[in-house]
Amino acid sequence: MKKIEEYVRSIPDFPEPGIIFRDVTSILQDADGLKLAIDSMQDCLKDVDVDVIVGAESRGFIFGMPIAYNLHKPFVLVRKAGKLPCETIQRSYDLEYGTATIEMHKDSIRPGQKVVIIDDLIATGGTIEAAAKMVEELGGEVVKIVFLMELAGLKGREKLADYDVESVISYDGK
């Protein structure tokens, strides 16, 4: 059986020279790779007491939804601003050039709920830090954050130092 790393396509010099792009689509396009990715991420939760799975747009939806389904837990969307139809809370965070804003429904997390956040990749950590702060603002407790891949060279874990963070694959570079 192949290891999850073998399903990841690495593309040198994208989007700019010196960067190695770790392509998640090569995992999604292979049934065995997709199953291994979901199972590996879900294994990170085997001893975690969780009430709700949260996924960040958009690849957090891809990986978080099947985990929520398998665990028979509700799934909550974190989306880009302006995409959710009901009353929301928002949080902005810094990008390399500028800022971005994400939001979630105000009624999506109840006080005291134990929340796991799922995403495909941790780079600088800004998106998931913002998502975690929104969960806490609604009274939830972030009990774990799970990523499929981590670009350790970008030090995103430092922003998430207050949380239990686990990555299935970690790459030293950027």
Side-chain angles (χ1 to χ4, degrees):
M1 183 166 177
K2 288 169 69 171
K3 294 166 59 174
I4 192 70
E5 293 90 331
E6 295 176 68
Y7 292 97
V8 178
R9 180 172 39 201
S10 296
I11 302 164
D13 299 321
F14 183 82
E16 58 187 53
I19 301 294
I20 299 175
F21 185 82
R22 308 297 180 174
D23 186 15
V24 73
T25 64
S26 55
I27 296 170
L28 302 176
Q29 292 169 354
D30 187 290
D32 292 333
L34 178 58
K35 181 172 181 2
L36 182 57
I38 299 296
D39 291 349
S40 297
M41 294 176 81
Q42 188 171 313
D43 284 348
C44 296
L45 303 177
K46 63 181 178 255
D47 297 320
V48 177
D49 182 19
V50 57
D51 300 313
V52 178
I53 304 292
V54 168
E57 187 169 346
S58 66
R59 290 168 302 236
F61 300 173
I62 293 169
F63 294 106
M65 178 58 76
I67 292 170
Y69 177 84
N70 290 340
L71 298 177
H72 196 236
K73 302 295 180 184
F75 184 76
V76 171
L77 306 173
V78 170
R79 299 221 49 200
K80 294 172 185 159
K83 301 290 185 179
L84 293 171
C86 297
E87 191 175 2
T88 62
I89 61 169
Q90 293 186 339
R91 180 78 56 156
S92 295
Y93 58 97
D94 291 329
L95 299 169
E96 188 176 359
Y97 301 102
T99 61
T101 302
I102 56 175
E103 63 185 13
M104 60 194 305
H105 282 141
K106 267 192 175 177
D107 63 356
S108 61
I109 303 292
R110 292 189 309 275
Q113 285 187 310
K114 294 174 177 66
V115 176
V116 168
I117 301 174
I118 303 285
D119 206 359
D120 69 319
L121 176 75
I122 177 174
T124 62
T127 304
I128 299 305
E129 179 188 35
K133 297 297 183 197
M134 286 192 299
V135 166
E136 293 167 344
E137 183 179 333
L138 294 174
E141 176 191 358
V142 177
V143 295
K144 186 114 181 175
I145 301 173
V146 178
F147 299 99
L148 180 61
M149 296 186 286
E150 177 174 356
L151 303 178
L154 293 175
K155 302 184 187 315
R157 242 180 222 263
E158 291 176 7
K159 277 192 181 145
L160 304 176
D162 293 338
Y163 304 100
D164 180 3
V165 175
E166 190 168 351
S167 299
V168 175
I169 308 167
S170 183
Y171 296 100
D172 291 334
K174 300 176 179 182

